[in-house]
Amino acid sequence: MFNRQNSSIVFRKAIPHYDKIITTKSYNVNEYYNSGARHVIFTNNAYSESTHKPTSQPPNGDRYDISFIGAQEDDRHNKIVELANNLPNRQIHIWGMWKWNTNKPSNIVMHEKFLADSDYARMISASKINLCFLRKVNRDLQTTRTMEIPACGGFMLAERTDEHSSLFTEGEEAEFFSSTNELIEKAKHYLQDEETRHQISIRARERCLSSGYSNKETMARLISQICEE
């Protein structure tokens, strides 16, 4: 909400009037206090128990090598192009409305639509590797995909941040990258290592359940905390 395109004068003026403000952006906590907030609570993102769950049958029986579901940004665009160029025999599927001003690698398959609800969950379950990029304009350290991909039983290859590392154990419940080269190397490795990829996906789903990352459990904690205070 401190991204100018998401905010407004009315919102900023209203900040001091709320008893509690809850945010999933850790860096927003001090920004809220500096804007006159009374009390700010940070919480991680969460997933929907009814929607984000494994599906046994991929749509049309298809399996996808690498998938990304989301909007276009320069950083993720550039990384995906490099990934495609270094994996010429593997297809990368993208769901979203993207524009290509340069030649698109032939192994990038565009699906010009947004996925939601059960369609979104099915596609994650049907993908060998699910990319989790963070929105740079929002300064994200985690995102809704952070929880939704593992909750769907998907293998997540995400940007490395302190928050991601605290939510899922690297190499056991998810995989992370800090550079394009690391992204490429890990994608190559896990496309070949199906058994390890499968075990990581299982443990990631178990972590979601054991750590209470669902919407229901997250809301229960927040309501309990607010009532106690």
Side-chain angles (χ1 to χ4, degrees), residues 41 72 88 148 160 178 198:
I41 300 171
Q72 186 176 25
E148 293 165 353
R160 184 182 287 106
S178 295
H198 178 63

Side-chain angles (χ1 to χ4, degrees), residues 35-113:
S35 298
R38 301 180 189 180
H39 186 199
V40 186
I41 300 171
F42 166 75
T43 185
N44 292 309
N45 283 275
Y47 71 93
S48 168
E49 290 175 299
S50 60
T51 300
H52 304 120
K53 53 190 177 183
T55 58
S56 57
Q57 180 60 40
N60 303 320
D62 292 335
R63 290 282 293 175
Y64 303 95
D65 287 328
I66 301 173
S67 293
F68 177 69
I69 304 169
Q72 186 176 25
E73 284 190 352
D74 288 344
D75 180 70
R76 58 185 63 166
H77 172 105
N78 294 336
K79 282 185 169 63
I80 286 177
V81 168
E82 285 296 312
L83 184 60
N85 288 334
N86 281 273
L87 290 168
N89 297 321
R90 298 285 191 169
Q91 288 190 335
I92 301 174
H93 292 257
I94 300 175
W95 283 266
M97 307 304 291
W98 287 39
K99 294 181 180 179
W100 293 85
N101 296 324
T102 57
N103 291 332
K104 178 177 67 65
S106 60
N107 57 329
I108 292 180
V109 181
M110 288 302 310
H111 305 268
E112 294 186 348
K113 61 180 180 180

Side-chain angles (χ1 to χ4, degrees), residues 63-69 83 87 90-93 95 123-133 149 153-158 175 177 183-194 197-198 201:
R63 290 282 293 175
Y64 303 95
D65 287 328
I66 301 173
S67 293
F68 177 69
I69 304 169
L83 184 60
L87 290 168
R90 298 285 191 169
Q91 288 190 335
I92 301 174
H93 292 257
W95 283 266
M123 210 58 63
I124 290 173
S125 295
S127 301
K128 297 175 183 177
I129 293 178
N130 292 276
L131 301 177
C132 180
F133 291 109
I149 291 172
F155 176 90
M156 180 170 70
L157 181 51
E175 268 296 356
F177 63 90
L183 166 63
I184 293 168
E185 290 307 310
K186 288 195 171 180
K188 286 181 177 179
H189 171 76
Y190 282 104
L191 284 171
Q192 297 293 335
D193 193 347
E194 182 176 357
R197 194 179 69 233
H198 178 63
S201 300

Side-chain angles (χ1 to χ4, degrees), residues 1-228:
M1 290 303 294
F2 285 88
N3 180 344
R4 291 180 64 183
Q5 69 185 32
N6 297 332
S7 191
S8 68
I9 294 175
V10 173
F11 169 74
R12 291 176 181 269
K13 286 185 175 180
I15 289 173
H17 298 282
Y18 290 103
D19 293 311
K20 312 277 186 184
I21 292 178
I22 301 169
T23 179
T24 59
K25 315 291 185 186
S26 55
Y27 47 78
N28 277 170
V29 174
N30 287 333
E31 292 173 333
Y32 274 120
Y33 280 126
N34 292 337
S35 298
R38 301 180 189 180
H39 186 199
V40 186
I41 300 171
F42 166 75
T43 185
N44 292 309
N45 283 275
Y47 71 93
S48 168
E49 290 175 299
S50 60
T51 300
H52 304 120
K53 53 190 177 183
T55 58
S56 57
Q57 180 60 40
N60 303 320
D62 292 335
R63 290 282 293 175
Y64 303 95
D65 287 328
I66 301 173
S67 293
F68 177 69
I69 304 169
Q72 186 176 25
E73 284 190 352
D74 288 344
D75 180 70
R76 58 185 63 166
H77 172 105
N78 294 336
K79 282 185 169 63
I80 286 177
V81 168
E82 285 296 312
L83 184 60
N85 288 334
N86 281 273
L87 290 168
N89 297 321
R90 298 285 191 169
Q91 288 190 335
I92 301 174
H93 292 257
I94 300 175
W95 283 266
M97 307 304 291
W98 287 39
K99 294 181 180 179
W100 293 85
N101 296 324
T102 57
N103 291 332
K104 178 177 67 65
S106 60
N107 57 329
I108 292 180
V109 181
M110 288 302 310
H111 305 268
E112 294 186 348
K113 61 180 180 180
F114 291 104
L115 295 175
D117 303 326
S118 59
D119 290 335
Y120 173 81
R122 281 196 298 271
M123 210 58 63
I124 290 173
S125 295
S127 301
K128 297 175 183 177
I129 293 178
N130 292 276
L131 301 177
C132 180
F133 291 109
L134 298 172
R135 203 163 186 71
K136 302 302 185 293
V137 70
N138 287 345
R139 301 172 291 163
D140 283 349
L141 297 176
Q142 58 174 278
T143 182
T144 52
R145 293 184 202 87
T146 302
M147 300 303 192
E148 293 165 353
I149 291 172
C152 290
F155 176 90
M156 180 170 70
L157 181 51
E159 295 188 64
R160 184 182 287 106
T161 67
D162 290 343
E163 289 181 23
H164 272 169
S165 297
S166 69
L167 293 166
F168 297 97
T169 303
E170 184 169 1
E172 295 183 14
E173 299 165 335
E175 268 296 356
F176 305 130
F177 63 90
S178 295
S179 66
T180 304
N181 285 339
E182 189 175 15
L183 166 63
I184 293 168
E185 290 307 310
K186 288 195 171 180
K188 286 181 177 179
H189 171 76
Y190 282 104
L191 284 171
Q192 297 293 335
D193 193 347
E194 182 176 357
E195 178 58 27
T196 303
R197 194 179 69 233
H198 178 63
Q199 291 302 320
I200 288 175
S201 300
I202 291 174
R203 288 193 290 267
R205 166 75 178 172
E206 291 172 349
R207 178 65 182 271
C208 289
L209 299 174
S210 63
S211 295
Y213 291 160
S214 70
N215 286 332
K216 183 177 180 180
E217 291 169 291
T218 299
M219 288 303 299
R221 285 195 298 272
L222 290 170
I223 291 169
S224 176
Q225 180 179 349
I226 290 168
C227 290
E228 287 174 2

